[in-house]
């Protein structure tokens, strides 16, 4: 009889555990998990999102209140979600999370930061009384869907990737710390050179340089204004040389004309002297 009773008690405990497991799982499923892949679901409907980290004591104290508030989500027609910033660094950069825990309210793509008390009752009143209307929404420039915040998210993801690679080099490959830094420095240098070449090629394609066309016939070069006085001096010198050459030519012509006349005169004088002698 004692054995049968102990067997019945153990079966009852097992049934209770099996029944409580899905109930507990159902309670946890009231809080939706947001990642980099499904974060755009926040742009539609009414949402309350908590950004937390497992190691944060304040986040750990908030979890029971947040779970209890999530049970009222269906009645309040609000989706209750959470984001683990240690697993989703891109979302922490997209929403500029500087303190933990951080709570945002989103209504059809308009994000507002919740800064009130963090109890279940306060969360319920915030949604039921529509207290979020008194809070100024985040500017579209700093919204999670903007180009600026998308770039910030990419930078946060890159930093997490670099940290993961650094830990892999040190812990798995056994490289020293300076060796890991040297690898990153070399990669940065090579990537910078490749990026520079791509930018030069793109600039050359968009703004090609003007090539000089060969001139078929030689043309007179147009001298600048500073060289015009020199040109005038050269022209005056050429003119003076031309005048001198003309004068010399005239003098030569005159002497050539005078030579035959002198010869004729000398001949006539010689004949007259000969007649006188005779």
């Amino acid at each position: 009889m004692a054995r049968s009773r102990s067997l019945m008690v153990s079966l009852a405990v097992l049934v209770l555990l099996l029944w409580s497991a899905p109930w507990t799982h159902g309670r946890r499923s009231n809080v939706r998990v947001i990642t980099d892949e499904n974060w755009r679901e926040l742009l539609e409907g009414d949402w309350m999102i908590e950004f937390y980290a497992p190691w944060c004591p304040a986040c750990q104290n908030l979890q029971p209140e947040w779970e209890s508030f999530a049970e009222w989500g269906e009645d309040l027609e609000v989706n209750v979600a959470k984001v683990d910033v240690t697993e989703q660094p891109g979302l922490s950069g997209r929403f500029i999370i500087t303190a933990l825990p951080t709570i945002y309210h989103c209504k059809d793509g308009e994000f507002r930061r919740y800064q009130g008390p963090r109890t279940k009752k306060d969360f319920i009143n915030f949604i039921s009384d529509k207290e979020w209307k008194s809070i100024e929404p985040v500017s579209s420039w700093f919204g999670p869907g903007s180009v600026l915040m998308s770039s910030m998210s990419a930078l946060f993801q890159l930093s997490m990737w670099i940290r993961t690679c650094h830990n892999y080099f040190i812990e798995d490959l056994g490289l020293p710390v300076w060796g890991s830094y040297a690898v990153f420095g070399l990669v940065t240098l090579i990537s910078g050179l490749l990026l520079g070449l791509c930018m030069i090629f793109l600039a050359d394609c968009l703004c090609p340089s003007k090539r000089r066309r060969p001139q078929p016939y030689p043309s007179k070069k147009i001298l600048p204004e500073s060289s015009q006085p020199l040109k005038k001096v050269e022209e005056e010198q050429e003119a003076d040389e031309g005048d001198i050459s003309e004068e010399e030519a005239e003098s030569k012509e005159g002497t050539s004309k005078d030579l035959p006349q002198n010869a004729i005169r000398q001949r006539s004088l010689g004949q007259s002297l000969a007649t006188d002698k005779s």
Side-chain angles (χ1 to χ4, degrees):
M1 292 295 293
R3 292 181 179 180
S4 61
R5 287 180 182 179
S6 62
L7 182 61
M8 292 294 293
V9 171
S10 60
L11 289 175
V13 171
L14 181 60
V15 170
L16 288 174
L17 291 174
L18 293 175
W19 176 78
S20 61
W23 180 74
T24 306
H25 179 73
R27 288 183 60 187
R28 292 180 180 177
S29 64
N30 291 331
V31 180
R32 301 183 60 178
V33 178
I34 301 300
T35 62
D36 286 318
E37 287 73 21
N38 63 351
W39 77 268
R40 290 191 176 276
E41 295 180 4
L42 303 175
L43 302 178
E44 297 180 359
D46 200 356
W47 291 81
M48 287 286 286
I49 313 104
E50 175 202 4
F51 292 85
Y52 74 100
W55 49 262
C56 175
C59 299
Q60 295 173 2
N61 296 331
L62 179 61
Q63 290 307 309
E65 298 291 336
W66 196 252
E67 294 289 343
S68 300
F69 170 60
E71 295 176 3
W72 290 76
E74 186 176 356
D75 297 333
L76 297 173
E77 296 181 354
V78 62
N79 299 303
V80 182
K82 62 181 180 180
V83 178
D84 186 355
V85 295
T86 60
E87 297 292 334
Q88 309 297 328
L91 290 180
S92 64
R94 191 179 293 274
F95 286 87
I96 314 180
I97 304 302
T98 57
L100 294 174
T102 298
I103 299 174
Y104 273 94
H105 172 264
C106 178
K107 178 66 174 179
D108 296 331
E110 289 186 351
F111 290 84
R112 296 172 173 85
R113 187 168 181 174
Y114 177 82
Q115 296 179 343
R118 297 171 181 176
T119 62
K120 180 184 74 172
K121 183 180 179 180
D122 294 313
F123 294 146
I124 293 174
N125 294 334
F126 182 79
I127 297 299
S128 60
D129 298 340
K130 296 183 179 180
E131 296 178 1
W132 49 267
K133 289 186 177 181
S134 61
I135 302 175
E136 188 70 20
V138 177
S139 174
S140 59
W141 288 97
F142 297 98
S146 64
V147 177
L148 180 61
M149 292 297 100
S150 298
S151 303
M152 188 68 68
S153 174
L155 288 176
F156 271 66
Q157 290 178 347
L158 179 61
S159 64
M160 182 58 67
W161 180 80
I162 291 174
R163 181 181 297 178
T164 303
C165 292
H166 179 69
N167 294 333
Y168 173 75
F169 291 153
I170 295 175
E171 297 176 0
D172 297 343
L173 298 182
L175 293 178
V177 177
W178 64 266
S180 177
Y181 291 159
V183 171
F184 284 114
L186 183 62
V187 171
T188 303
L189 180 61
I190 294 175
S191 60
L193 291 174
L194 293 176
L195 182 60
L197 291 175
C198 293
M199 291 179 67
I200 292 173
F201 178 76
L202 183 62
D204 191 33
C205 292
L206 295 177
C207 302
S209 58
K210 296 181 180 179
R211 297 179 179 178
R212 296 181 180 179
R213 297 179 180 178
Q215 297 180 357
Y217 298 102
S219 59
K220 295 182 178 180
K221 294 183 179 179
I222 300 174
L223 298 175
E225 295 181 357
S226 60
S227 62
Q228 287 182 359
L230 296 175
K231 183 180 178 182
K232 290 180 180 180
V233 172
E234 292 177 355
E235 291 178 353
E236 291 177 358
Q237 291 179 356
E238 291 178 355
D240 294 339
E241 291 176 357
D243 295 338
I244 293 171
S245 60
E246 289 179 358
E247 291 177 357
E248 290 178 352
E250 291 177 358
S251 61
K252 289 180 181 180
E253 289 178 357
T255 52
S256 61
K257 289 180 181 179
D258 294 338
L259 287 174
Q261 292 179 358
N262 293 331
I264 293 170
R265 288 177 183 178
Q266 289 176 0
R267 287 178 184 177
S268 60
L269 289 173
Q271 291 178 0
S272 61
L273 290 173
T275 52
D276 292 338
K277 288 178 181 182
S278 59

